[in-house]
Amino acid sequence: GETTGDPLESAALKAMRWEVASESGHVVPSAGTEKKQGGTPLTMPGSSSSCAEIEILSRHHFSSKLQRMSCVIKDTANRKQYAVVKGSPEMVGTLLLPSKKPSGYDKAAKFLSRRGYRVISLAYKQLSSSSDVEAAKDTRSHCEEKLIFAGFVAFTCRVRRDTKMVLNKLKEGGMVVAMVTGD
């Protein structure tokens, strides 16, 4: 299968050596090749066994206003369901259970951001009953409340070597240079 959305995040999934299986649509470790090792199964929170196949049951798509997205997923081998959330550290931080938000959360997020990284916060909660699963699938607010912090992902986008030269040529040609971002 093919991933869509943010190219940087698709590259991160590929770098982890996981992919969307074309036949099932489930997320699975990539097979190894002659040059690259295959993907490694995960250990899901609350489970002692590894997870090598994840089914996406429902998505609450990314919202710029909310600065996050969420999914309800199922560890197919262990038959456990989870709500998983990714988004800006500021917004995800407000959704964490107070007892599960690390004391250095905000400081760490700011530290990474000030170093030029694009920081995404990850959080989850296990859905222990079928009514919890249905509520999380039906309403974003149920899916995205009382979460446990899982970690930060910090992306860097290096500037191309010829950027300075290209910008200078544009300025010499009378062009006005401006940076426009999606943030």
Side-chain angles (χ1 to χ4, degrees), residues 3 15 27 43 47 56 79 81 119 125 130 145 151 155-157 163 165 182:
T3 59
V27 184
T43 301
S47 175
I56 300 169
R79 306 194 55 74
Q81 290 96 5
V119 183
K125 68 178 174 182
S130 58
E145 67 179 0
F155 294 100
T156 182
C157 295
T163 300
M165 184 269 305

Side-chain angles (χ1 to χ4, degrees), residues 2-73:
E2 197 171 316
T3 59
T4 59
D6 188 310
L8 195 58
E9 293 176 26
S10 291
L13 185 66
K14 188 175 180 179
M16 290 174 41
R17 305 285 301 138
W18 275 64
E19 64 187 9
V20 178
S22 54
E23 57 280 352
S24 67
H26 296 179
V27 184
V28 297
S30 301
T33 65
E34 215 174 276
K35 295 182 179 185
K36 289 187 179 179
Q37 181 180 350
T40 306
L42 308 170
T43 301
M44 297 297 283
S47 175
S48 58
S49 53
S50 62
C51 168
E53 185 173 357
I54 297 171
E55 180 181 1
I56 300 169
L57 302 175
S58 170
R59 280 186 186 87
H60 300 287
H61 291 283
F62 181 78
S63 162
S64 296
K65 182 179 177 184
L66 298 175
Q67 300 176 15
R68 64 182 179 267
M69 73 159 294
S70 57
C71 292
V72 176
I73 64 167

Side-chain angles (χ1 to χ4, degrees), residues 92 96-97 100-102 105 120-124 147-152:
V92 172
L96 300 174
L97 284 166
K100 299 298 181 182
K101 184 176 179 180
Y105 178 94
I120 296 176
S121 184
L122 305 173
Y124 71 95
L147 300 170
I148 300 167
F149 177 62
F152 292 123

Side-chain angles (χ1 to χ4, degrees), residues 156-175:
T156 182
C157 295
R158 302 259 184 252
V159 176
R160 290 177 35 169
R161 289 182 188 187
D162 64 347
T163 300
K164 186 176 181 180
M165 184 269 305
V166 170
L167 292 174
N168 286 334
K169 292 280 186 192
L170 289 170
K171 287 178 185 176
E172 287 172 14
M175 304 274 185

